[in-house]
Amino acid sequence: MDIQDLNQWKNFLLIYKFALDEVNTKLKILNEEFLFIHNYNPIEHLKSRLKSPKSIVKKLQRKELEISLESASRHIHDIAGIRIICSFSTDIYKIVDILSQQSDVHVLEVKDYIRYPKPNGYRSLHLIIEIPVFLANQTKQVKVEVQIRTIAMDFWASLEHKIFYKFQREIPQELTDQLRESASLVNLLDKQMLAINEEIQQYKINDPAEAEEEQQTLTLALSSKFLS
C-alpha cells in the first residue's frame, strides 16, 4: 500500500472514528441520565474499535468483493464497532429500546443471539445502526455495529475468540463440546443473577440506599467470579 492509498484509507476511517465518538457520547449520556432518574445504570462499560485497512481488505477478499473504499463502505458494516457490557440480560433490551427511540439513530439490522444462540453457544445481541456525522461541508450517514452482552457472555465470547484463532478456526470437537457446555452454564448464571437482582429491587422500595449497595456488591461478585 503506497502513501497515497494509505492517506485515502486514513481519511476514509476518520469518518468512522467520528461515528464511534458520536455513539460513545450518546451512550454515556443515556447511561448517566438513566442513573439520575432510576438510580441504576444499565451499562457497565463500553469498548470500541475500528477495523484496520488490512482487516477490511481481508474481509473483502474473503467475500470475493472489489477491493476499494466504495466497496468497503457498501458491504462491510462492522468497520466501526462498539461493545456494550451490561450486568443483566434485561439491560440489553433496555439499551436496544433506548437506542431505537433516538431520532438520529436508524436501526438497519438486528441479530438476537440471546434468544437464538449460535450453535457453539455464543450469546449476544448485534445491531447495525446508521447515524449522521456532521462535517464542515456535508453530513455523512455512517454504519456502526453495536454488540450488547452481559459480563458473563463477554467472558465466554472472549475465551472462545482466543481459542478460535489459536486453532486457526478449526477447534477440536472436544473443546467445542466444552465451550457449548460452558455457554449453558453462563446462561444459567445470568438467569440466577437476574433473579437475585429482581429480589433486591423489592427491598429498594423500603431502603434505596441499602439496595444500591447490594446492587454494587452483586455486580462486583459477578465480575470477580469470571476474572478469578
Side-chain angles (χ1 to χ4, degrees):
M1 184 179 293
D2 60 32
I3 293 177
Q4 183 177 358
D5 286 342
L6 186 59
N7 286 334
Q8 287 177 341
W9 276 105
K10 284 181 178 179
N11 291 335
F12 174 74
L13 290 174
L14 188 61
I15 306 298
Y16 286 91
K17 178 192 178 298
F18 293 156
L20 282 179
D21 292 342
E22 290 275 355
V23 178
N24 267 308
T25 300
K26 183 181 293 292
L27 289 169
K28 288 174 183 177
I29 290 171
L30 292 172
N31 200 42
E32 288 185 26
E33 180 189 21
F34 204 92
L35 179 62
F36 180 78
I37 295 172
H38 302 285
N39 198 33
Y40 172 73
N41 56 315
I43 299 174
E44 284 297 321
H45 57 274
L46 302 166
K47 301 176 183 177
S48 58
R49 63 103 185 97
L50 275 176
K51 278 188 178 295
S52 66
K54 182 178 179 181
S55 179
I56 295 170
V57 168
K58 280 186 176 179
K59 190 162 188 176
L60 288 170
Q61 290 173 334
R62 197 161 60 244
K63 291 175 173 285
E64 299 182 346
L65 296 168
E66 178 188 356
I67 310 301
S68 69
L69 299 181
E70 182 182 355
S71 179
S73 178
R74 184 183 304 133
H75 299 291
I76 309 299
H77 297 164
D78 63 343
I79 293 173
I82 290 183
R83 185 172 300 151
I84 305 171
I85 311 300
C86 309
S87 294
F88 308 104
S89 55
T90 49
D91 294 333
I92 294 170
Y93 296 100
K94 286 177 187 172
I95 293 167
V96 172
D97 289 340
I98 290 171
L99 274 177
S100 301
Q101 291 168 13
Q102 299 295 299
S103 60
D104 59 344
V105 174
H106 184 201
V107 178
L108 301 176
E109 184 179 308
V110 180
K111 292 183 179 179
D112 192 341
Y113 297 118
I114 298 172
R115 291 193 175 108
Y116 309 100
K118 289 186 177 183
N120 66 351
Y122 175 84
R123 284 179 169 84
S124 185
L125 194 143
H126 294 191
L127 303 174
I128 301 297
I129 65 172
E130 191 173 61
I131 66 161
V133 172
F134 300 97
L135 303 171
N137 57 358
Q138 62 180 316
T139 300
K140 290 272 193 179
Q141 294 293 332
V142 183
K143 297 181 182 68
V144 177
E145 183 191 50
V146 181
Q147 297 180 358
I148 317 173
R149 58 180 68 151
T150 65
I151 296 171
M153 292 174 193
D154 190 54
F155 177 83
W156 184 94
S158 297
L159 178 60
E160 192 273 343
H161 182 78
K162 290 176 182 176
I163 294 173
F164 185 76
Y165 284 99
K166 173 76 173 178
F167 288 94
Q168 299 181 343
R169 301 173 182 262
E170 296 294 334
I171 303 176
Q173 186 60 46
E174 181 183 355
L175 282 178
T176 299
D177 293 341
Q178 289 181 39
L179 281 169
R180 193 180 297 112
E181 181 181 353
S182 64
S184 297
L185 293 173
V186 163
N187 186 43
L188 178 61
L189 177 62
D190 267 336
K191 289 179 177 178
Q192 289 176 335
M193 300 302 274
L194 177 60
I196 293 171
N197 181 59
E198 289 174 345
E199 186 174 345
I200 287 173
Q201 300 312 308
Q202 299 301 315
Y203 293 100
K204 189 174 182 179
I205 298 172
N206 299 321
D207 191 345
E210 182 180 349
E212 178 66 17
E213 184 179 344
E214 290 188 34
Q215 174 71 51
Q216 294 174 355
T217 301
L218 178 61
T219 301
L220 287 172
L222 179 58
S223 302
S224 298
K225 181 174 182 65
F226 281 92
L227 292 174
S228 60

